[in-house]
Amino acid sequence: MDALLLARWQFAITSVYHFLFVPLTLGLSVLVAIMETIYVRTGNETYRQMARFWGKLFLINFAMGVVTGIVQEFHFGMNWSEYSRFVGDIFGAPLAVEALAAFFLESTFLGVWIFGWDKLSKSLHAAAIWLVALASNLSAFWILVANSFMQEPVGYVIRNGRAEMTGFFALLTNPHVLYQYPHTVLAGFTTAAFFVMGISAYHLLRKNHLDFFRRSFRLGLISGVISILLVVTVGHFQGQHLVSSQPMKMAAAEARWESRDPAPMSLVAVIDEKQQTNPFEIQIPYLLSFLSYNSFSGEVKGIKEIQAAYEDRYGPGNYIPPVTSVFWSFRIMVAAGALMLLLALLSLYLWRKGRLETKPLVLKAFLFSIPLPYIANTSGWYMAEVGRQPWIVYGLQRVEEAVSPVVSAGAVLTTLLVFTLLYGVLAVVDVYLLVKVVKKGPGETPAVPRVEDVEGVSLWT
């Protein structure tokens, strides 16, 4: 294997691994903030225990996300130096803002939250976790601003063989990030909701801390139903935008080799990439046109026509991404999302009828559905990145042009093996810590007098 292939494998493995922790951080930080806010408003100690219990799981996940995320920064300068040289002035700006503002804000107030229990007033302590939640989601925004430039370059000019920024505001208002950011954040809220519901279902099945986990499940259920419905809605509009901004990606996601008007949608297909045809497929007439244009008519361009147009525009070459994997990754994401939506709606119905805890199979389904949002997140991200191939920056730089010319295959292979081994160890540690905290449950947290409850004590004493 050459250095290019190994560098791609290394980035893919470390990115997918890192992205396992990001969505839960985005969503769980907000849920913990809501729990603590309810405690502040009602004085109900159960919500304080909820914030502490789910906060512990949030901290474990957050720490793993930080450790694995740092590696991503080094990839760009080491394995992808030509990429950094070409777009570093643009790509680096939002990443720098993310590190200097959002991440520092997140880390600072997370420390305040961890060590501020029983030292700050209830309101100030709740404000700290809200700032953590805000900063976490703000951090995601800046990272997606950088990624969106790779998907849909805006606000730049090519000068002396490099892309230079002409408008920072153009980066912030990139149409791609306006769809990708809410879709990603809402997917994070969905991940957190199923995480909370799955663990709550585990304890409800064992009759542990019933009031505590009933309240947790209810909060997760409300958040989950709202988040899934919004994820689907935003995803629909994002798909419509990609039809015009990245037609090859959407054509590959549908294995649509020929242009069609009206266009059917394939539910399943046997794909022959070599012959550029589908020997077998099950289709729903008109559906792809409807999903693309909200109309039962409308042309959806096929891969062959787009390939010819790209050759005219960019020169000879293969501009077709791996069709089979992009096709199935899209369907895996949709199937996982549909399962989560059905399960959440069924549970909402049973909850309102007061029969949820009489249905152990439904509770078990929630326990085993914890991986579903992770599957949806990973397959969706796979489609977003692999569907852009062969471009690393859409229309501007191909992947093979971005790799470092002086880093040997042996060096990349060595670090790839080290990262894979290290991440495997971290995975074992992460699962061990999470399972330990989950099995222990909230415990019996003694009521400790808060600062404002103690006469003569203030924030400064």
Side-chain angles (χ1 to χ4, degrees), residues 7 48 56 61 110 186 195 220 224 364 370 402:
R48 183 171 186 258
K56 283 182 186 175
N61 183 79
L110 186 58
L186 290 167
F195 183 79
K364 288 180 181 176
I370 291 177

Side-chain angles (χ1 to χ4, degrees), residues 220-243:
L221 181 59
I222 295 170
S223 173
V225 170
I226 295 173
S227 299
I228 296 174
L229 291 174
L230 291 176
V231 163
V232 172
T233 303
V234 174
H236 170 66
F237 290 116
Q238 185 177 15
Q240 289 186 329
H241 176 69
L242 290 176
V243 170

Side-chain angles (χ1 to χ4, degrees), residues 323-343:
V323 175
T324 304
S325 61
V326 173
F327 176 87
W328 285 109
S329 65
F330 180 52
R331 276 144 190 80
I332 291 171
M333 176 187 71
V334 172
L339 283 174
M340 286 187 284
L341 178 60
L342 290 174
L343 188 56

Side-chain angles (χ1 to χ4, degrees), residues 43-64:
N44 188 328
E45 283 290 330
T46 301
Y47 285 98
R48 183 171 186 258
Q49 290 185 348
M50 286 167 62
R52 297 195 73 147
F53 173 73
W54 296 109
K56 283 182 186 175
L57 297 171
F58 167 75
L59 290 175
I60 296 170
N61 183 79
F62 177 82
M64 289 293 293

Side-chain angles (χ1 to χ4, degrees), residues 35 196 202 204 211 247 250 255 257 273 277 348 353 367 371 395 410 425:
M35 292 169 188
V196 170
Y202 168 82
L204 289 175
D211 181 58
M250 295 309 293
W257 297 102
E273 292 192 46
T277 184
L348 183 63
K353 295 291 183 182
L367 176 60
V425 173

Side-chain angles (χ1 to χ4, degrees), residues 365-382:
F366 269 104
L367 176 60
F368 291 105
S369 70
I370 291 177
L372 279 180
Y374 292 93
I375 293 172
N377 296 335
T378 303
S379 56
W381 200 246
Y382 178 92

